[in-house]
Amino acid sequence: MAIDPVELTKRLVNIESTTYHEGPAGHFLYEYLASQRYEVERMAVAQPDRASTPGAGTGERFNVYGAMAGINPDVVLSTHMDTVPPFFGCTEDDEFLYGRGTCDAKGIIAAQVAAAERLRESGVKVGLLFVVGEERDSAGAAVANTSPKGSKFLINGEPTDNRLALASKGALRVELRAKGRMAHSAYPELGESAIDKLVEALHDVLAMPLPVEPEIGPSTLNIGLIEGGRAPNVIADTAEAHILVRLVGPSDETKRAIAETVGDRADVEFSLDLPFVRMRKVGNLPTMIAKFTTDIPKLTAWGEPFLLGPGSILCAHTPQEKIAKKELLEAVDLYVELATSLVRNS
């Protein structure tokens, strides 16, 4: 019986697998792929330190890789098992599936599994790689990159509205930590406000010019988290902010500009640096530019990368996350078309 990607999506979405808690989804996919006659492998991925990583789990987490026994795949279909919080299960109407992960990226998992079934029936040597941690730090992809399987091509899945991405932006995560000296707020001259330092530094960072790539667009910068201080009547001795820059080129220039702009007002740490990636057009497949970042920069050992998937990134990470059933079925055909074309012309 052919795999139904709609039904498989519903089963996957109803398994909670927010980042650091992917174990149940991994176990399900391991057993499911084994039932489809794949030789399946687990790649263990360590949990981060809970003291330094809010939300870190304690359970088992691992990547899942499957292929037919004894083959080195020519092409590997890959995406991630983890989702952003909060978890909410699957509902549906005639047109759409709704729920956390429907488009990012459990519907993609289902479409890739269905496509792989058709590819192997046609004689294409295909593998499936499903990783953890994409929504945070690509930890699963980094582990997978130490154990490549010799594939020539990697087709990564993210919501691209079933269009082939010609580029994806990089990501630079920046953490600023300012230090001060506590004092009674009635006597500010006796203290040194870490919050004042941080706010001034952030003001200047926001005013920085950022690189622009004519065919892609500008780099963008978001201050996503600010915290610090003790109480309204206490001069703040600590404050920090977390920034994410979407890169359209090498990170060196942006890192240097941020460090120089902040100066001695705060310590600067670059905790994630995923590069901008260009990819090539194939045949007549419709194309797009991905303004987001993927696992591709961490999967360099898995072959030439391509990026394609059903669903819209505009509803990913939102309470309205959904995917059209028709688009899921179309994605299966597109994955088969792309993989077949790549292998045939290699």
Side-chain angles (χ1 to χ4, degrees):
M1 180 184 293
I3 293 170
D4 182 343
V6 174
E7 290 302 313
L8 181 54
T9 298
K10 289 191 284 187
R11 294 178 69 181
L12 287 164
V13 171
N14 282 326
I15 302 171
E16 182 173 0
S17 61
T18 53
T19 307
Y20 308 129
H21 305 275
E22 303 98 337
H27 285 288
F28 172 84
L29 282 167
Y30 183 94
E31 297 297 333
Y32 186 87
L33 294 181
S35 75
Q36 300 297 317
R37 298 179 292 109
Y38 289 99
E39 188 174 82
V40 192
E41 174 186 344
R42 303 181 192 188
M43 303 175 181
V45 179
Q47 289 281 5
D49 177 63
R50 298 183 75 193
S52 59
T53 308
T58 57
E60 184 181 20
R61 64 197 298 240
F62 52 89
N63 302 328
V64 176
Y65 172 76
M68 297 304 291
I71 73 156
N72 292 321
D74 290 323
V75 60
V76 170
L77 307 178
S78 179
T79 190
H80 58 95
M81 294 181 277
D82 64 314
T83 70
V84 297
F87 167 76
F88 51 99
C90 193
T91 59
E92 65 178 308
D93 57 28
D94 290 343
E95 186 176 0
F96 291 99
L97 298 177
Y98 305 86
R100 180 59 78 223
T102 45
C103 76
D104 191 17
K106 291 180 175 180
I108 294 171
I109 292 175
Q112 290 184 341
V113 171
E117 179 188 43
R118 286 172 50 185
L119 287 165
R120 70 183 186 181
E121 288 175 353
S122 70
V124 173
K125 295 178 181 179
V126 61
L128 290 162
L129 175 67
F130 303 127
V131 302
V132 303
E134 188 273 345
E135 296 290 3
R136 181 61 184 173
D137 56 8
S138 292
V143 168
N145 216 39
T146 66
S147 301
K149 305 301 178 182
S151 48
K152 299 176 183 176
F153 307 104
L154 174 78
I155 302 176
N156 190 239
E158 290 287 349
T160 67
D161 297 294
N162 275 342
R163 294 177 292 167
L164 189 66
L166 298 182
S168 65
K169 287 188 176 183
L172 179 66
R173 186 176 298 138
V174 190
E175 300 176 12
L176 305 184
R177 292 181 175 86
K179 299 175 183 177
R181 185 172 64 253
M182 281 192 291
H184 195 293
S185 65
Y187 301 89
E189 68 276 9
L190 299 180
E192 185 181 15
S193 174
I195 288 178
D196 287 354
K197 291 181 182 179
L198 184 66
V199 168
E200 291 170 2
L202 291 174
H203 176 270
D204 293 344
V205 167
L206 285 172
M208 286 171 32
L210 293 171
V212 177
E213 174 62 40
E215 297 177 1
I216 308 302
S219 295
T220 59
L221 184 150
N222 177 60
I223 302 171
L225 174 67
I226 299 177
E227 60 184 16
R230 307 288 178 170
N233 58 346
V234 178
I235 302 298
D237 62 327
T238 62
E240 68 179 80
H242 294 210
I243 298 169
L244 188 66
V245 183
R246 301 288 180 178
L247 300 166
V248 296
S251 64
D252 291 348
E253 177 185 348
T254 300
K255 289 163 72 172
R256 183 168 55 252
I258 290 173
E260 291 175 354
T261 299
V262 172
D264 60 3
R265 293 176 292 191
D267 295 329
V268 181
E269 178 184 356
F270 301 105
S271 56
L272 180 70
D273 189 349
L274 297 176
F276 166 77
V277 177
R278 285 188 182 272
M279 291 160 282
R280 66 179 168 96
K281 181 177 173 61
V282 176
N284 295 317
L285 291 173
T287 60
M288 57 88 74
I289 301 297
K291 294 184 178 181
F292 51 87
T293 308
T294 75
D295 274 330
I296 285 174
K298 293 288 188 180
L299 291 170
T300 54
W302 287 75
E304 182 185 1
F306 298 86
L307 181 63
L308 173 70
S312 170
I313 197 68
L314 301 181
C315 71
H317 300 192
T318 75
Q320 294 78 39
E321 185 170 351
K322 65 182 179 180
I323 196 164
K325 298 175 184 179
K326 178 182 178 182
E327 198 171 345
L328 267 178
L329 300 177
E330 291 171 348
V332 177
D333 293 335
L334 289 169
Y335 283 133
V336 171
E337 178 184 348
L338 176 57
T340 302
S341 176
L342 292 173
V343 172
R344 184 194 312 124
N345 295 311
S346 64

